[in-house]
Amino acid sequence: MQTIFQFLMYTIFGKRWILWEMKEGFKSAIFVNEIEVEMEKAKLKVLEENLANLESELKQAEEAPLPDVVALLPEDQKEDKKAFYDLEKKLKGERVENISRLKNLIASNKEELDRQNGEIAKIYAITYKNRLKYDFVREWKINKHIVTGK
């Protein structure tokens, strides 16, 4: 007994009070689990949106043409083949680096999605167990000396 109120209720109602508290506790646990599921689903939705954005960004990066190297060179270096080659190599390297960065972000996001799905499955399992316990306790009948089911 945690409080005087609980002690008084137990002395007045006996095991019926404990059974009522158990039922209310399981109802509360089920409610909290449902809220957790909704919260995790919201996180999952955000992750899915991020993944879709990253995939579209990757597609754009792969399909986008390289900028015109001649237009980017200063006027005095437009005829210099080495400057042209260096700038072209730099632009291609940046593009490859950006594409590999996006692929790594997508892989990381997919791992996070898998983890989030696992978390939701775990919460569903806990909710199911709490529901089974509540259904079992709800049907209990209290006799004078013996606690029995149905």
Side-chain angles (χ1 to χ4, degrees), residues 25-69:
F26 282 126
K27 284 182 191 177
S28 300
I30 292 168
F31 176 70
V32 168
N33 292 140
E34 289 172 356
I35 290 174
E36 281 185 83
V37 166
E38 292 300 319
M39 183 176 65
E40 296 298 326
K41 281 184 179 179
K43 288 180 187 177
L44 184 67
K45 184 178 177 184
V46 168
L47 286 172
E48 288 172 345
E49 290 172 0
N50 288 343
L51 181 63
N53 290 340
L54 285 172
E55 287 174 343
S56 66
E57 192 176 330
L58 175 65
K59 186 177 180 182
Q60 288 175 354
E62 289 176 338
E63 294 175 353
L66 282 175
D68 187 24
V69 178

Side-chain angles (χ1 to χ4, degrees), residues 10 12 16 25 47 52 87 106 111 114-115 140-141 149-150:
Y10 179 72
I12 295 171
R16 288 188 187 102
L47 286 172
L87 185 58
I106 288 172
E111 288 175 9
D114 291 342
R115 189 198 64 75
W140 269 57
K141 305 290 184 220
K150 284 193 175 184

